Amino acid sequence: MREPVTVPAVRDRKRRDGKEPLVMITAYDTAFARLVDAAGVDVILVGDSLAEVVLGYGSTLQIGIEVMEHHVGAVARARPSALVVGDLPWMTYHTEPYDGVRNAARLVRAGAAAVKLEGGRQRLAVVEAIIGAEIPVMAHIGLTPQSVHAMGGYKVQGRSVSAAEALVADAKALAGVGCFAVVLEGVPKVLAETVTAELDVPTIGIGAGPACDGQVLVLHDLLGIADRPAAKFVRRYFDLADAVVTAVASYSADVRSGAFPSDEESYHGSSDLREALARR
Ligand code: KIV
């Protein structure tokens, strides 16, 4: 068993200090949490992407805190050595800072060691309140899927000089109030490079190029089981969809032909039972 990964250990992982890049991946249930932990990832993000890749919704806006709580609990029950980070879903931290604290606490009670939330300087009050309640916060800026309507779609952010400057200011402000890491999603790699150089906490990129201090991908994209078009930044490491369909088709064929179950796959009962039933 590995040493548990802690928030301070993640906060320390700047590549410019000679540290290894951070590996973060999503997981949403106990079975996959065990597997990704066995693969040695540093951070398991119970992302609200679960709305799309597990629950069949068209965006992340459709799920609330109860759903996230349920899945954070499932991941935590795998007792991974990786740090478990729970995503705060849309509208659970956008009103009063107290709402954010209360909802963050629900994810911690469910088993998360930290929470992630989306947005820049407009979130400083809630971020400070959550950190003030001793709950570590991972920030998420750039292409923030919970802002899909405000952004007019899932579009790369920070393309203009002014938007890039604003994003750097967001990142610095979030790190300044104590976020222990910053996810950069869907931004030009040169901007991710700048943010990474200017922050003392690690950046974790998704569609942000290679300069970040770590990378994150959605597990179902990486395994080839997400039923959605893959973004440019997704590397598909396996065609699990094909493997699952092939296995279930073989099972179906065996059931239909009578090849499953075999005698070895059946319980035989005692000789008394067999004889009594044979006499009927
Ligand atoms: O919900 C999620 O999976 C995420 C990652 C893509 C960063 O927020």
Side-chain angles (χ1 to χ4, degrees), residues 156-207:
V156 173
Q157 301 295 299
R159 282 187 184 279
S160 69
V161 175
S162 62
E165 294 290 1
L167 194 133
V168 174
D170 282 340
K172 283 181 159 176
L174 290 159
V177 296
C179 290
F180 72 97
V182 177
V183 171
L184 296 176
E185 178 165 357
V187 298
K189 65 178 192 171
V190 64
L191 174 55
E193 225 171 281
T194 304
V195 174
T196 302
E198 295 196 14
L199 292 191
D200 291 333
V201 297
T203 57
I204 303 177
I206 173 160

Side-chain angles (χ1 to χ4, degrees), residues 65 69 86-89 92-93 97-117 126 129-131 133 135-137:
I65 195 72
E69 231 173 352
D87 228 354
L88 280 170
T92 62
Y93 57 96
Y98 176 70
D99 290 337
V101 176
R102 205 166 32 88
N103 287 316
R106 287 177 70 165
L107 297 189
V108 171
R109 287 226 168 93
V115 297
K116 177 171 82 58
L117 57 79
V126 69
I130 297 172
I131 293 174
I135 299 174
V137 175

Side-chain angles (χ1 to χ4, degrees), residues 24 26 28 45-50 60 87 116 118 140 145 183 185 206 216-218:
M24 180 157 95
T26 65
Y28 316 100
L45 171 66
V46 189
D48 61 356
S49 50
L50 98 89
T60 59
D87 228 354
K116 177 171 82 58
E118 298 182 6
H140 181 168
V183 171
E185 178 165 357
I206 173 160
V216 54
L217 278 179
V218 168

